[in-house]
Amino acid sequence: MSRAHASRRRLGAAVTAALAVTVGTLVAVPAEATPTALTAVSQSTGQDAVVPFPASGYVFGAGPTGFLGYQLVDGKSVFQWTRYADGTVTTLPAGDYTPGPRTDIVRKAEGAVHKLYDMATGADPVVIDTSVLGEGYVAVGTAGSSLVMTKPNTTGGQDVRLVSKPQDTVIDRRVTGLPENAAISRVSVDSPEAAVVLYSLTENGAVTNRAAVVDLTAGTVVSAYDTPAADEIRSIALSATHLAWVEKRTEYASTLVTVRRDTGATERVPLKAAFKSVLISIVGDWVTYGLTGGYDASSADPMHALTARSLTTGATVKLLDDLKNHTPGPDGTQMVRGGTVAGGEGLYRISVGADGTPAAQLVASTGIPTAYSVVSESVPAVIDFDRDPGPVSMTWTLSRSRGSVQVELVHTATGRKITLFDHSGGAPAVRTVTWDGTFVTHNPSVPAEYIVPAPNGDYTWKMTGRPSNGIGPLLKTGTFKIVRKAVPHDFNDNGTPDILVREHDGALSLYNTSQPLGAWTAEPPTPLGTGWNVYDRLVTPGNVAGTPQSDIVARDKSGVLWLHQGTGRALAPRVRIGGGWGVYRQITGGSDLDGDGRPDLLATDGAGALWLYKGTGSATAPFAARTQIGRGWGIYNQITAVGDIAGGPAGDLVARDTSGVLWLYLGKGDGTFAPRTRIGGGWNTYDAIVGFGDADRDGRADLLASDEGSTYVYKGTGNWRAPFEARRAVYSHDTIDWSAPVF
């Protein structure tokens, strides 16, 4: 139960009034013992510069003209006074300093000698040697130009003493109103005019704990309230109308208690916060509270914010996103070392505005962001997977070590995306994701993942940073480009060859290769159009029209030859490139036979003649007039241009005869071939033999062969005597109909 004394006297006359009081013991101090003013090294930031605050510093005190900061440097305590007006920083000489709350007074203790410096004026310090008062005096605070001390009394209790030194005379006043047997556990000085004394006493064999409000100007207790034991109270705050404290419930839960000083009415607000880290203050008609350590916390907690709660309505206002420590500020304000997402880390003044609502104003900045932010980043603008086939790193150095990042990469043209993660957590604050240039795809009908190369072109990236403490999630975006050289049989511009299948209904489908090649992906094929059953011959000769992408040459049933130019994602509308092609039994393309860098077309007619159509690079007339380069080719039922598979000067050709033997024709570079070399027999089991390009990215062209239901890859060796390794089955899915034309 709270108990208040009858006195409702307004606290606080001027400090000069306290100095004028001469009641108590008077002790003369020799004039020659008075030292000179504080000597310090100062550095000015300039009138218009942001007032600085040390990154590792704490606020220790704050007055009308500046604030006292504290930090550890090489294990030693360093105190600095900073002026609000111009940011001048004064580093105080080594020693032990404490502030006078809400004033510009800084006290340096040297044993029993206390020096009070007025940082606003720079005048010589007031020096109080308390040894002249006798034994037992212990300084517990500074109230303006007075020392607040405790001293045992003759009854076994303790007194609170106010010691000052006006006019070179030490004055020692006893605070009245405390019980003689009071066992004082804590004295909290709020201002030069007021303090709270926590004490206990034994009455009728029972221990009572109380908080006494002291008018320091009058030197007397004005009210007292029952409280828990002092070690059950974490923080305590005082105003002209209220007393508040944080009371322990458990190690991980607390209670905010506020008491009206006029009526004793008490309100208790449960807090889900660790008892030892909750700070409170009273600013106007609001009590502020928050849990320290939010900036470095390993998990999110709403209590890490500094919150103001109205003492009249119970409404709450969020003021800061995190807080480190605090001190009473001038004119009833609160000064907090903390941060906001908008303003960053530094020193904030909490005060009530004209609308009656408290707000936070940045007074001094550490230059460190509170939000999870990027200090530096390294994302390549251009990624060339031909030059650097290994995983590409994208790195961000962040403002904090605890947190994770998620990076989404999106191909602008197709919308395909992949999400990458870094959950490394602790220090250092560097987050790296790596990407091997592939997309992981899924087919709902097949319970598996398949990896396919990402296409060339423009990409966007979006990096989302998620701090462990939940304060200030981060979003950054950017762009990059993937470039690779064009490769044969690549129709979706991702640097690997593709399978083209004309379905039985006439639709043309593109099946992506997995990476590395081990299967055709189970993802749905990319449609390239319908109506392809008008053609009786389909050829993939590579880039014949001057653009990087592979093209398709198709012959219709009337013998007209058409060009479908590749764009990297689709096919351009067809262009007629010639008639009379119905005379040919076999048509193939994809090898550069004359070394001019352009793929050529080959055809065999009914008489067995082999004809060469040299590539021109023109989209309207992609081939020159034909030249006969061979006879007797009627023995072959399939010819396939395979590119340079034997390391010679030009592209090569394989031909299968009617008995199933496969023969190699090495290009000589002049548009003709060397005598044939036997590769092997048994090739008549295959429905299609396709010059597939370099399927495994080893720099050598490979061969694809398919029958009804299976597909095989013959890897190129680069040796013309044995140009292919033994076949290797490539797993395929029922989504590919191998009985349909494959090319």
Side-chain angles (χ1 to χ4, degrees):
M1 176 178 179
S2 298
R3 185 180 70 180
H5 289 299
S7 174
R8 299 288 183 259
R9 178 184 338 198
R10 179 181 178 276
L11 297 181
V15 178
T16 53
L19 295 177
V21 177
T22 57
V23 178
T25 305
L26 304 183
V27 181
V29 177
E32 59 269 24
T34 304
T36 59
L38 178 71
T39 301
V41 178
S42 299
Q43 55 183 30
S44 176
T45 63
Q47 185 70 31
D48 298 325
V50 175
V51 174
F53 198 94
S56 60
Y58 294 80
V59 63
F60 208 36
T65 69
F67 61 87
L68 181 65
Y70 164 82
Q71 62 179 320
L72 284 175
V73 178
D74 296 329
K76 297 180 180 179
S77 299
V78 175
F79 294 88
Q80 293 178 318
W81 180 265
T82 303
R83 287 208 305 251
Y84 304 126
D86 58 8
T88 296
V89 178
T90 300
T91 300
L92 307 182
D96 184 18
Y97 296 88
T98 54
R102 305 189 196 274
T103 73
D104 294 322
I105 302 298
V106 173
R107 172 169 61 91
K108 182 180 183 183
E110 298 174 348
V113 177
H114 301 267
K115 300 176 181 179
L116 303 180
Y117 295 92
D118 188 339
M119 303 303 297
T121 65
D124 289 347
V126 175
V127 178
I128 304 177
D129 185 352
T130 59
S131 64
V132 301
L133 301 175
E135 298 293 330
Y137 283 80
V138 177
V140 293
T142 307
S145 297
S146 298
L147 303 178
V148 180
M149 310 188 80
T150 59
K151 179 181 181 300
N153 58 35
T154 57
T155 63
Q158 291 174 288
D159 293 335
V160 174
R161 319 289 298 198
L162 302 177
V163 179
S164 59
K165 185 190 169 188
Q167 305 299 322
D168 290 337
T169 302
V170 174
I171 300 176
D172 175 18
R173 292 186 296 150
R174 175 178 174 272
V175 171
T176 62
L178 287 172
E180 291 290 332
N181 62 340
I184 297 172
S185 54
R186 192 189 317 173
V187 177
S188 176
V189 177
D190 177 75
S191 69
E193 296 86 23
V196 178
V197 178
L198 298 182
Y199 67 93
S200 62
L201 72 160
T202 301
E203 296 176 317
N204 301 320
V207 177
T208 301
N209 300 289
R210 293 198 180 107
V213 178
V214 177
D215 181 338
L216 296 176
T217 303
T220 187
V221 171
V222 294
S223 55
Y225 309 89
D226 289 344
T227 68
D231 59 2
E232 297 295 310
I233 295 177
R234 165 58 184 173
S235 303
I236 196 161
L238 179 68
S239 73
T241 60
H242 285 79
L243 176 67
W245 64 81
V246 174
E247 186 176 296
K248 181 177 181 179
R249 287 161 54 205
T250 68
E251 287 297 329
Y252 304 102
S254 310
T255 299
L256 173 63
V257 182
T258 58
V259 180
R260 286 184 59 95
R261 293 180 58 190
D262 56 352
T263 65
T266 301
E267 182 179 21
R268 306 176 70 84
V269 179
L271 302 177
K272 295 180 180 180
F275 166 70
K276 292 184 179 180
S277 300
V278 179
L279 303 182
I280 64 168
S281 185
I282 300 176
V283 181
D285 291 330
W286 300 75
V287 58
T288 68
Y289 60 90
L291 187 66
T292 64
Y295 184 87
D296 296 313
S298 58
S299 61
D301 189 335
M303 279 296 296
H304 285 145
L306 181 68
T307 302
R309 187 175 192 275
S310 173
L311 292 167
T312 56
T313 68
T316 59
V317 175
K318 181 180 176 181
L319 299 172
L320 300 178
D321 291 295
D322 73 272
L323 61 149
K324 193 171 185 178
N325 80 312
H326 75 147
T327 190
D331 301 321
T333 63
Q334 178 189 14
M335 304 295 283
V336 184
R337 166 66 171 89
T340 66
V341 170
E345 292 294 299
L347 179 62
Y348 285 83
R349 178 186 293 113
I350 310 300
S351 58
V352 176
D355 62 353
T357 303
Q361 176 190 5
L362 182 63
V363 174
S365 174
T366 65
I368 297 174
T370 298
Y372 204 39
S373 58
V374 172
V375 177
S376 63
E377 67 186 23
S378 177
V379 180
V382 177
I383 300 173
D384 185 346
F385 284 112
D386 289 329
R387 183 185 61 207
D388 182 12
V392 173
S393 295
M394 303 178 187
T395 300
W396 291 266
T397 300
L398 303 173
S399 58
R400 290 200 297 275
S401 60
R402 289 181 173 175
S404 63
V405 300
Q406 169 184 305
V407 181
E408 181 184 78
L409 310 179
V410 180
H411 184 229
T412 304
T414 64
R416 299 195 72 162
K417 64 180 66 176
I418 188 169
T419 302
L420 309 172
F421 300 91
D422 180 318
H423 292 293
S424 50
V430 177
R431 295 290 173 268
T432 299
V433 299
T434 58
W435 187 42
D436 61 1
T438 64
F439 286 128
V440 178
T441 64
H442 305 263
N443 186 339
S445 64
V446 180
E449 292 183 341
Y450 295 89
I451 301 173
V452 296
N456 294 326
D458 294 325
Y459 284 75
T460 61
W461 59 263
K462 179 174 68 174
M463 188 275 283
T464 303
R466 293 184 171 89
S468 299
N469 65 4
I471 300 172
L474 168 66
L475 179 64
K476 286 276 289 182
T477 60
T479 62
F480 64 90
K481 181 187 293 288
I482 291 181
V483 297
R484 304 183 188 89
K485 66 181 180 181
V487 299
H489 234 273
D490 179 15
F491 290 89
N492 58 4
D493 199 26
N494 68 354
T496 58
D498 308 305
I499 284 291
L500 297 182
V501 177
R502 184 178 64 188
E503 314 288 356
H504 291 292
D505 62 0
L508 185 64
S509 299
L510 181 153
Y511 289 85
N512 218 338
T513 52
S514 64
Q515 180 69 28
L517 179 62
W520 311 125
T521 66
E523 66 176 351
T526 301
L528 295 180
T530 58
W532 286 77
N533 49 10
V534 300
Y535 301 121
D536 64 3
R537 183 67 65 180
L538 297 169
V539 179
T540 54
N543 163 29
V544 300
T547 58
Q549 289 78 26
S550 294
D551 306 319
I552 298 175
V553 171
R555 183 185 68 185
D556 66 23
K557 296 173 183 178
S558 65
V560 175
L561 200 64
W562 300 88
L563 171 65
H564 291 264
Q565 194 169 353
T567 66
R569 293 180 300 278
L571 296 172
R574 70 179 187 173
V575 175
R576 188 181 189 275
I577 57 174
W581 285 74
V583 300
Y584 296 120
R585 294 174 55 198
Q586 303 289 332
I587 302 173
T588 190
S591 291
D592 176 16
L593 300 180
D594 57 358
D596 64 357
R598 293 187 292 266
D600 305 313
L601 208 62
L602 293 167
T604 61
D605 62 21
L610 179 66
W611 299 90
L612 168 65
Y613 287 83
K614 291 185 178 182
T616 66
S618 169
T620 57
F623 302 107
R626 70 180 186 173
T627 302
Q628 184 176 345
I629 60 172
R631 295 183 179 88
W633 286 72
I635 64 172
Y636 300 119
N637 59 19
Q638 176 147 0
I639 61 172
T640 303
V642 291
D644 180 8
I645 63 172
D652 307 317
L653 185 74
V654 295
R656 181 183 65 188
D657 64 25
T658 54
S659 64
V661 175
L662 193 69
W663 300 87
L664 170 63
Y665 285 86
L666 295 176
K668 296 195 298 183
D670 59 359
T672 65
F673 296 102
R676 70 181 187 175
T677 301
R678 189 179 190 273
I679 294 176
W683 287 74
N684 52 358
T685 62
Y686 298 123
D687 299 308
I689 300 173
V690 181
F692 192 53
D694 183 9
D696 56 0
R697 298 178 67 86
D698 66 352
R700 295 186 292 268
D702 307 310
L703 196 67
L704 174 72
S706 69
D707 57 25
E708 288 194 22
S710 299
T711 182
Y712 303 91
V713 168
Y714 289 83
K715 295 181 62 176
T717 65
N719 178 6
W720 67 271
R721 293 181 178 86
F724 301 111
E725 296 180 3
R727 74 179 188 178
R728 184 175 62 179
V730 179
Y731 178 60
S732 60
H733 303 278
D734 292 339
T735 52
I736 299 181
D737 184 358
W738 295 106
S739 66
V742 177
F743 63 102

